[in-house]
Amino acid sequence: MATDSLSLFTGLGLSEHKARETLKNEALSAQLQAAAAQAQQVLGPSIDKSTGTLLYNVASRLKDPRRLSFLVGYVTNKKILTDLQLSAALEYLRSHPLDPINTADFEQECGVGVTVTPEQIEEAVEAVIGQHREQLLKERYHFSMGMLMGEARTALKWADGKTIKNEVDMQVLHLLGPKTEADLEKKPKAAKTRPEEKDLKASRTAASNGEEPATSLSLMEQLRGEALRFHKPGENYKTPGYVVTPNTMPLLQQHMEITGGQVRTRFPPEPNGILHIGHAKAINFNFGYAKANNGVCFLRYDDTNPEKEEEKYFTGIRDMVEWLGYKPYKVTHASDYFDQLYAWAVELIQRGHAYVCHQHVEEIKGHNPPPSPWRDRPIEESLLLFEGMKKGKFAEGEATLRMKLVMEDGKMDPVAYRIKYTPHHRTGDKWCIYPTYDYTHCLCDSIEHITHSLCTKEFQARRSSYFWLCNALDVYCPVQWEYGRLNLHYAVVSKRKIIQLVEAGAVRDWDDPRLFTLTALRRRGFPPEAINNFCARVGVTVAQTTMEPHLLEACVREVLNDGAPRAMAVLKPLRVTITNFPSSKAIDVIVPNFPADETKGFHRVPFLPTIYIEHTDFKENASGQVTELEVTCSKSDASEKPKAFIHWVSEPLQCEVRIYERLFRHKNPEDPSEVPGGFLSDLNLDSLSVIEDALVDCSVSGAKPFDKFQFERLGYFSVDPDSTERKLVFNRTVTLKEDPGKM
C-alpha cells in the first residue's frame, strides 16, 4: 500500500524525498490520496506536473476537509490554473465556512475564466515604467525592479508572474541598455536602525525641539500593530483550529453588534500573589495590542480560589498595571459571573456534556487516568447531585463536576466545579462550590465578548476545551492565541518559591529589590517605561524566552540617562580640609541637572573649606590607612591639567545607601543539574550591602520615595520608601555602565 502511495505521489510531480515525508503525515497523506483519486477520474491515471503541484497545495493548505472535493473539481477542470488563484480560493473558503457556497461569487474572487493577454501585460508594464521613468534613468539597475513588478501585478491581478517579469526585464533593457560596470557595483547598504531605536531617537528629537512626540503609542503597541497578523474582530472562523457550528455565524453577528467591531483583550491574573517581570510582558501584550488597534482591555481577576486570595493582591495587581501606564477599560472579576456560570453548568449537564464524579484528586491526576465509573450516570441524577454540592451536602473532595471531553494533552474530563468551604472575599458564604480555570476562563471571555484571548504557551493544551465548552453551550466563542513566557536568568518568579525566600529570611518581602516582581523593580528604581521597552525588544514569540538581566538593565540606563537628574554622593567619605580656601564664606557652585541639556535646569552646590571625597580616590601607599587630608587649592589656569576628575560633597546630608547584587549565583537556580541542592542553596550571601553613613549633596533634600538620581561616577539611585524626614535611604538601581563580569 505504501509503495502504491509513493508511486502515486511521485506521479504528481513530488520528489521521492518529499513523497516519503508526505507519507509520514497521515492526515496530509489521506487528503492528497483523495485529491489524486478524484483528479484521476477526470484526467485519467496520468496527471501533469502543474496540476499535481496544485493538488498537493490543496491537500496541504486546505483546513476544512469538507471542501476538498469542491476545490479539487476546480483544479482538475482547469478553472483554477495558478497558485495565485488557489490562494484566493483558499482565502474565500476560509472566509465563508458555511454551506452553500455562492459559486458565482467564488469564481469572481478567484479569477476563474479571466484571461490576461500579452498586449494587456505589455501596456501595464509600459504604464508603470512611464510613472518611474525619471527615477529609473537616474538610478538605472539599482532601482527596485520588484516594485515595478508589484505595481504591474496590482494592475493585472491574475496575470502570470513570469510573463510580467520577462516583460519588465525587456522594457527596462530597451530603456536603459545593457548593464555597465557601475550598474554591477553593489549599492551600499544603509545602516539598519531597530524600530525601537528609531522611535526613541524621534521622541528625543521632538523633545529637544520642544515638540510633542508624533505618537503616544508605546514601543510594544507599535510592535503589536506592525508584527502580528491576528484575525479581525468577527472573523474568528479564519483562525486555524477554530470550530465552526451551525450557530457560529449568527453568534458572531450578534457579537459584532454588541462590540461595534472593536478589538477586546483582557489581562486575567489570579489575585493570590504579586506580579513579576513575566506578567509585564502579558500586560504590555494585552493592553498594548488593544490600544494599537483602537480597542479595549479588561482587567479581570480570576478569583475562583478563595483559599489563596487576599485584598492586598487585588490592590497590588491594579497598582502595577497602572504603574506600567495602562488603564483598564473595566475592572471585572470571575466572581461577577458566578450565577451565570452556575446556570451554564446546569445546562451543560442537561445537554449530556457534564456529570458529577466521586473520584478523588489522586485518582484523576496525570494524562491517562481510567475513565470515571460515573461518566455515564443519568442526567437527572447528576442534576440532583450538583444541586446537592451547591447546598453543602458533600464534604470537600467528595464530589466534583466534570466535563465530558479529552483535551489536547490527553487529560480526560477536566473538572468544572469543586467544593471549598472557604468564604469568598466578594461573595462571602453564598457559594461552597467554585468553578475551575478550565471551566471559567473561556466563558468569562465569552461574556465580555473578548476578541483575542492571549495566553502563555502552557495553556495551549486547553485550547480544545476552550472551543469545546463555548460550542457545547452555544455561546459566542472567542479565539485563544498562545505565546511564549518571558523568564530571566538568575531569578525565580514562582509565588511559592518567593514565599520560601521570604520565610527563610533571604529577602524582606515581595518588594525586596533583589527580586524580579514588579513591586521589587519599582522599589529598586526601574522606570516603568524601561520595563515596557524591554518587553518590546523581547517581542512576542511562540517559544519561551529566557533573557539576561543585563538586557533589562540596559533599557533602564537608557531611560534614566534622560530622566534622572545628576547629583553627587560619597559612599565611603574621606574628609578633606582646604587650608588656603579662597573665601571667608561658602561659594555656591551652579551645576546643571543634566550636563548635556542645560535647559532642564540647575541646582546649587555649596563649596566650603571642608569637603568629602571617596576614600578610594586617594591612596598614598599600600599599607597606610588615611583618615583625613589637608590640601591646598590653586586656580585652574595656573595649574597643570589634571589627570582625572573626582567628585565631592560639602555640607552634605547623611544617608543610607543599599547596594544590590544578584540574589543567586547560577543562571538557572531552579535547575537541579545546575544547582543540585535546590534554589535556596544557591543564594548569594553578598547580594545586599548597606552603607549607613554615606553622604549626599544637599540639593536632594526634598526628594520623595521613588525619585531617581544619577550619582556622578557611582550609578543610578532611587529613593526608598524607608526614607524619613531625618534620613534618606537610596537604592542603587543600576551601575552607570554594564559590568563585563555579568555577561
Side-chain angles (χ1 to χ4, degrees):
M1 178 65 181
T3 304
D4 293 341
S5 298
L6 183 65
S7 300
L8 176 64
F9 293 170
T10 54
L12 294 175
L14 273 64
S15 67
E16 185 172 335
H17 173 74
K18 191 168 185 178
R20 291 187 185 280
E21 288 298 310
T22 301
L23 284 169
K24 294 177 184 177
N25 185 328
E26 292 183 10
L28 173 58
S29 181
Q31 195 144 285
L32 185 55
Q33 288 174 3
Q38 180 180 336
Q40 286 175 333
Q41 291 177 1
V42 177
L43 303 173
S46 180
I47 298 174
D48 63 274
K49 186 174 181 178
S50 62
T51 302
T53 300
L54 286 173
L55 292 174
Y56 177 82
N57 288 338
V58 169
S60 59
R61 294 164 61 188
L62 182 65
K63 302 301 181 185
D64 187 351
R66 296 176 306 137
R67 301 291 174 72
L68 181 68
S69 178
F70 175 82
L71 203 48
V72 169
Y74 272 86
V75 172
T76 53
N77 288 308
K78 306 296 183 182
K79 291 184 176 181
I80 289 180
L81 296 166
T82 66
D83 193 62
L84 188 65
Q85 286 182 299
L86 179 59
S87 295
L90 290 166
E91 176 60 27
Y92 185 93
L93 295 178
R94 197 158 64 102
S95 303
H96 298 76
L98 300 181
D99 292 326
I101 297 171
N102 184 327
T103 54
D105 188 39
F106 171 81
E107 290 182 1
Q108 182 179 351
E109 288 294 313
C110 301
V112 172
V114 176
T115 302
V116 181
T117 65
E119 291 76 18
Q120 287 175 308
I121 293 176
E122 182 181 350
E123 289 173 6
V125 172
E126 189 176 323
V128 170
I129 287 178
Q131 290 175 1
H132 300 282
R133 180 184 177 85
E134 186 176 335
Q135 198 68 18
L136 261 168
L137 290 170
K138 181 180 177 182
E139 296 185 16
R140 292 182 58 79
Y141 287 97
H142 289 141
F143 188 87
S144 172
M145 302 304 163
M147 186 174 77
L148 298 178
M149 283 190 58
E151 291 186 11
R153 292 205 68 162
T154 300
L156 298 171
K157 183 177 179 180
W158 304 112
D160 179 67
K162 288 182 180 178
T163 307
I164 290 179
K165 183 180 184 306
N166 291 337
E167 186 64 31
V168 167
D169 290 344
M170 186 181 70
Q171 290 198 29
V172 168
L173 179 64
H174 180 73
L175 176 66
L176 304 179
K179 290 183 179 180
T180 64
E181 288 187 14
D183 294 327
L184 295 172
E185 290 179 3
K186 288 186 177 180
K187 190 175 182 180
K189 291 184 178 179
K192 290 185 178 179
T193 303
R194 291 191 302 187
E196 59 267 24
E197 291 173 349
K198 188 185 296 180
D199 180 71
L200 283 170
K201 288 178 181 175
S203 298
R204 289 172 184 160
T205 302
S208 65
N209 293 333
E211 303 169 6
E212 286 294 320
T215 175
S216 61
L217 297 182
S218 73
L219 295 176
M220 174 62 84
E221 289 156 7
Q222 293 178 45
L223 179 63
R224 299 289 64 76
E226 292 288 327
L228 296 179
R229 302 299 178 201
F230 287 157
H231 68 279
K232 294 178 182 177
E235 295 184 355
N236 305 27
Y237 50 84
K238 290 188 176 183
T239 306
Y242 191 82
V243 179
V244 177
T245 73
N247 290 324
T248 294
M249 301 312 281
L251 287 168
L252 284 174
Q253 184 177 353
Q254 184 185 50
H255 158 75
M256 291 293 284
E257 290 169 358
I258 291 170
T259 66
Q262 72 182 168
V263 165
R264 288 189 167 201
T265 61
R266 81 291 165 272
F267 174 57
E270 296 177 71
N272 58 8
I274 296 296
L275 303 181
H276 53 71
I277 187 67
H279 290 113
K281 176 179 177 179
I283 291 168
N284 271 281
F285 194 11
N286 278 285
F287 283 90
Y289 182 73
K291 187 174 180 180
N293 291 280
N294 299 313
V296 297
C297 182
F298 291 74
L299 169 58
R300 185 207 307 146
Y301 295 108
D302 182 19
D303 58 341
T304 58
N305 190 353
E307 293 174 335
K308 298 181 179 180
E309 294 156 6
E310 296 182 41
E311 184 59 36
K312 67 177 182 180
Y313 297 135
F314 287 85
T315 305
I317 287 169
R318 183 165 184 176
D319 283 350
M320 289 299 97
V321 168
E322 293 181 348
W323 177 64
L324 288 177
Y326 295 107
K327 185 176 181 181
Y329 166 69
K330 190 181 289 186
V331 177
T332 60
H333 305 74
S335 56
D336 295 340
Y337 311 120
F338 276 177
D339 289 320
Q340 178 62 75
L341 294 173
Y342 177 79
W344 273 337
V346 171
E347 186 176 343
L348 202 64
I349 298 171
Q350 291 170 337
R351 292 179 177 225
H353 296 313
Y355 63 96
V356 173
C357 176
H358 302 290
Q359 286 182 293
H360 295 290
V361 174
E362 295 74 21
E363 297 177 78
I364 60 177
K365 275 186 176 178
H367 296 301
N368 294 298
S372 167
W374 291 280
R375 196 173 200 266
D376 296 319
R377 76 186 328 159
I379 289 173
E380 290 303 322
E381 190 177 320
S382 280
L383 287 170
L384 289 171
L385 291 170
F386 188 50
E387 186 178 0
M389 287 171 60
K390 182 191 175 191
K391 290 180 177 179
K393 294 182 179 180
F394 297 95
E396 288 191 15
E398 193 176 346
T400 59
L401 181 70
R402 296 176 67 183
M403 298 176 280
K404 290 186 182 179
L405 81 149
V406 179
M407 299 171 72
E408 290 176 50
D409 61 356
K411 183 179 176 183
M412 187 174 186
D413 294 359
V415 172
Y417 271 85
R418 72 277 204 218
I419 300 168
K420 287 183 181 291
Y421 290 106
T422 303
H424 191 275
H425 74 290
R426 297 185 74 242
T427 61
D429 293 325
K430 179 179 178 180
W431 300 92
C432 63
I433 56 171
Y434 293 96
T436 62
Y437 176 91
D438 287 326
Y439 178 78
T440 306
H441 193 71
C442 62
L443 296 181
C444 287
D445 281 352
S446 179
I447 291 169
E448 293 176 350
H449 284 272
I450 301 303
T451 57
H452 300 79
S453 182
L454 310 174
C455 58
T456 47
K457 188 68 175 174
E458 64 265 31
F459 293 102
Q460 184 171 357
R462 279 141 155 145
R463 191 199 288 189
S464 58
S465 66
Y466 186 106
F467 292 156
W468 176 89
L469 184 52
C470 289
N471 290 326
L473 288 168
D474 278 328
V475 296
Y476 161 69
C477 184
V479 177
Q480 175 176 306
W481 293 92
E482 304 91 12
Y483 60 92
R485 296 181 66 172
L486 168 61
N487 292 324
L488 285 178
H489 287 307
Y490 302 99
V492 298
V493 294
S494 148
K495 299 165 189 171
R496 179 176 57 83
K497 290 177 180 175
I498 290 177
I499 289 172
Q500 288 180 258
L501 288 169
V502 174
E503 291 175 346
V507 296
R508 289 173 52 174
D509 208 337
W510 291 84
D511 65 346
D512 188 296
R514 289 166 289 181
L515 295 172
F516 284 92
T517 61
L518 294 185
T519 52
L521 295 178
R522 178 176 65 173
R523 184 166 190 169
R524 185 161 173 170
F526 282 33
E529 307 96 303
I531 295 172
N532 293 345
N533 292 350
F534 174 67
C535 292
R537 293 179 186 184
V538 170
V540 177
T541 60
V542 175
Q544 179 171 296
T545 308
T546 304
M547 306 298 291
E548 293 287 350
H550 70 79
L551 298 173
L552 173 58
E553 292 173 0
C555 292
V556 172
R557 289 188 190 94
E558 212 169 59
V559 173
L560 290 181
N561 184 55
D562 289 341
R566 278 42 168 180
M568 291 192 285
V570 174
L571 303 187
K572 295 182 180 179
L574 176 62
R575 182 185 175 99
V576 179
T577 301
I578 304 171
T579 58
N580 64 336
F581 192 74
S583 174
S584 60
K585 58 181 181 179
I587 300 173
D588 280 343
V589 180
I590 308 302
V591 181
N593 295 329
F594 295 86
D597 184 0
E598 295 188 356
T599 63
K600 292 185 177 181
F602 298 81
H603 62 273
R604 295 176 181 271
V605 175
F607 185 44
L608 291 162
T610 299
I611 64 172
Y612 298 86
I613 66 172
E614 283 290 352
H615 211 291
T616 53
D617 281 337
F618 179 83
K619 188 174 184 181
E620 190 172 32
N621 56 61
S623 57
Q625 180 62 37
V626 178
T627 58
E628 187 174 347
L629 291 176
E630 288 187 357
V631 302
T632 59
C633 66
S634 60
K635 291 185 177 181
S636 58
D637 56 4
S639 304
E640 293 182 11
K641 184 177 180 181
K643 295 180 180 179
F645 292 91
I646 63 173
H647 65 282
W648 51 271
V649 293
S650 184
E651 210 171 60
L653 304 173
Q654 191 177 60
C655 65
E656 180 180 308
V657 173
R658 299 168 182 172
I659 305 295
Y660 299 97
E661 303 293 347
R662 286 177 178 156
L663 184 59
F664 297 100
R665 292 179 291 119
H666 290 83
K667 269 191 174 186
N668 302 294
E670 299 172 274
D671 185 347
S673 63
E674 197 169 330
V675 185
F679 72 99
L680 288 175
S681 71
D682 194 47
L683 292 169
N684 172 16
L685 301 181
D686 298 319
S687 61
L688 171 61
S689 301
V690 179
I691 303 167
E692 296 183 351
D693 54 355
L695 301 176
V696 64
D697 185 82
C698 58
S699 64
V700 306
S701 59
K704 302 291 189 296
F706 305 117
D707 282 354
K708 298 163 181 59
F709 300 91
Q710 183 194 113
F711 290 166
E712 300 281 5
R713 300 176 66 215
L714 297 178
Y716 294 100
F717 291 76
S718 178
V719 181
D720 189 87
D722 285 347
S723 298
T724 65
E725 288 184 5
R726 291 187 300 173
K727 191 173 186 179
L728 289 171
V729 178
F730 289 94
N731 296 317
R732 187 175 72 181
T733 305
V734 289
T735 55
L736 288 178
K737 293 182 179 180
E738 183 181 315
D739 184 349
K742 292 183 179 181
M743 291 296 286

